[in-house]
Amino acid sequence: MYDNIPEKVTNIIVTGKSGAGKQPRIDVLVEEFELEQLSTGNIFRSYLGKFNEFGYDGDLDKFWDGESFIPDEEIAEELGTDDPDIILGMKAKYFVDKGLFVPDFITNQLFKAFFKRKDHRNQVLDGYPRTVDQAKFLMELLEDKNSKVDFILWVENEDDMIVERTVNRRICPECGKVYHLIYAPPPDGKCELCGVDVILRSDDTEDKIRSRLKEFKDKVIPAMKYLEEQGIHIAKVPGHLEEFTPENVRKSVLSAVEYIYG
Ligand code: AMP
């Protein structure tokens, strides 16, 4: 069974529309290849959470001039703090809450800092890269650090299915575990691992989901094409399975990986 799959990989990219069902597939890869998940979405959400806790309730439009953010010193003065985490949280919130991608110059720098923590190896890149510019940045970084991405796992799903899944999605604010109100309900509305109330992501409303789906078509697909042209293989798996059991998810992922090595 799965004789062609290598025992060790360096890094894997997992892509797919937001809400396609990436997390259960990532769980399989993390376990199978002993990797760590690096999710730019989770990183942005953690900064956004810090900013929300900080409690600024003014309009954020004043910080963005249409092309870039005003200088950090001016942002700090308006917010009343120069804490870089709070300033980054504001910048993340400005885009995430609109269902838009965070600009590349912010995302790339943040990704670089987190990717380095495990020496640019043994990671599942979840939700990065998402633009051609990010893909180029990653390829240069990998070359510089003598590392690589072994393959891309692409979780496919129809737009309508995504909308249905996403409005019913709930996540644990502590550990990021994902629940679904109908298919995988959180017991008593709480995370079974942390015991805290699960929440609806602030960007999981229908208009923001549609906006993210457009971002996917316009930006992520060209980025994946670019990576494929660089020689990185893409393994596609269906996000929707007739019988959604852990065993079926595992089979679907490993067969797709086996196929590209076969
Ligand atoms: P996700 O949890 O992966 O769906 O990401 C949630 C949100 O974080 C996205 O809608 C974007 O606003 C932002 N985000 C995450 N990853 C990236 C990325 N690679 N580039 C730009 N924005 C991102």
Side-chain angles (χ1 to χ4, degrees), residues 18 40-41 44-45 96 100-102 107 127 130 134 201 212:
S18 184
T40 42
F44 283 133
R45 267 188 295 283
V96 173
L100 295 174
F101 286 176
V102 179
T107 309
R130 271 175 155 145
Q134 291 177 17
R201 279 172 42 168
R212 290 206 299 269

Side-chain angles (χ1 to χ4, degrees), residues 207-246:
D207 57 331
K208 289 172 194 165
I209 297 163
R210 299 252 177 230
S211 163
R212 290 206 299 269
L213 289 171
K214 183 167 173 351
E215 292 275 64
F216 186 83
K217 284 195 189 81
D218 295 346
K219 297 179 180 166
V220 182
I221 293 179
M224 293 306 130
K225 280 210 181 109
Y226 169 80
L227 292 173
E228 201 174 20
E229 281 160 19
Q230 302 301 304
I232 304 178
H233 286 293
I234 298 181
K236 290 195 172 178
V237 291
H240 180 73
L241 295 175
E242 276 312 315
E243 250 191 282
F244 196 86
T245 61

Side-chain angles (χ1 to χ4, degrees), residues 171-173 175 177 179 186-187 189-198:
I171 61 164
C172 170
C175 71
K177 188 171 165 57
Y179 295 87
K190 295 189 188 304
C191 175
E192 59 195 5
L193 304 176
C194 308
V196 298
D197 287 344
V198 297

Side-chain angles (χ1 to χ4, degrees), residues 34-247:
E34 293 174 20
L35 304 171
E36 281 203 19
Q37 178 174 2
L38 197 178
S39 158
T40 42
N42 286 348
I43 296 171
F44 283 133
R45 267 188 295 283
S46 81
Y47 283 100
L48 200 151
K50 286 183 199 174
F51 178 72
N52 283 343
E53 271 172 34
F54 174 70
Y56 178 81
D57 56 8
D59 186 1
L60 303 189
D61 283 336
K62 63 165 91 65
F63 299 118
W64 179 254
D65 70 11
E67 270 178 29
S68 57
F69 285 105
I70 62 170
D72 281 359
E73 305 81 67
E74 291 175 32
I75 297 175
E77 199 172 316
E78 171 63 29
L79 293 179
T81 176
D82 60 2
D83 181 341
D85 286 3
I86 304 291
I87 294 177
L88 182 56
M90 183 282 290
K91 292 178 179 176
K93 185 180 169 75
Y94 183 84
F95 290 96
V96 173
D97 276 2
K98 288 186 168 74
L100 295 174
F101 286 176
V102 179
D104 291 331
F105 65 94
I106 299 176
T107 309
N108 284 338
Q109 291 314 317
L110 200 69
F111 169 77
K112 188 177 175 187
F114 277 79
F115 193 36
K116 188 177 172 208
R117 292 183 177 184
K118 294 266 171 293
D119 199 21
H120 313 94
R121 282 161 178 77
N122 302 320
Q123 298 177 64
V124 176
L125 310 188
D126 162 22
Y128 183 94
R130 271 175 155 145
T131 65
V132 172
D133 185 77
Q134 291 177 17
K136 288 184 177 164
F137 183 86
L138 173 65
M139 293 307 282
E140 277 169 28
L141 188 61
L142 290 168
E143 197 179 331
D144 192 39
K145 304 297 175 192
N146 202 12
S147 185
K148 69 177 183 339
V149 164
D150 296 70
F151 61 88
I152 297 166
L153 190 86
W154 186 327
V155 185
E156 291 188 300
N157 223 327
E158 300 294 325
D159 286 8
D160 288 343
M161 189 80 81
I162 302 243
V163 174
E164 190 278 331
R165 277 176 54 92
T166 313
V167 291
N168 286 308
R169 173 162 71 177
R170 295 294 180 275
I171 61 164
C172 170
E174 294 284 325
C175 71
K177 188 171 165 57
V178 182
Y179 295 87
H180 185 282
L181 290 183
I182 298 159
Y183 305 125
D188 295 327
K190 295 189 188 304
C191 175
E192 59 195 5
L193 304 176
C194 308
V196 298
D197 287 344
V198 297
I199 54 164
L200 176 69
R201 279 172 42 168
S202 59
D203 57 344
D204 276 352
T205 58
E206 182 159 352
D207 57 331
K208 289 172 194 165
I209 297 163
R210 299 252 177 230
S211 163
R212 290 206 299 269
L213 289 171
K214 183 167 173 351
E215 292 275 64
F216 186 83
K217 284 195 189 81
D218 295 346
K219 297 179 180 166
V220 182
I221 293 179
M224 293 306 130
K225 280 210 181 109
Y226 169 80
L227 292 173
E228 201 174 20
E229 281 160 19
Q230 302 301 304
I232 304 178
H233 286 293
I234 298 181
K236 290 195 172 178
V237 291
H240 180 73
L241 295 175
E242 276 312 315
E243 250 191 282
F244 196 86
T245 61
E247 189 43 37

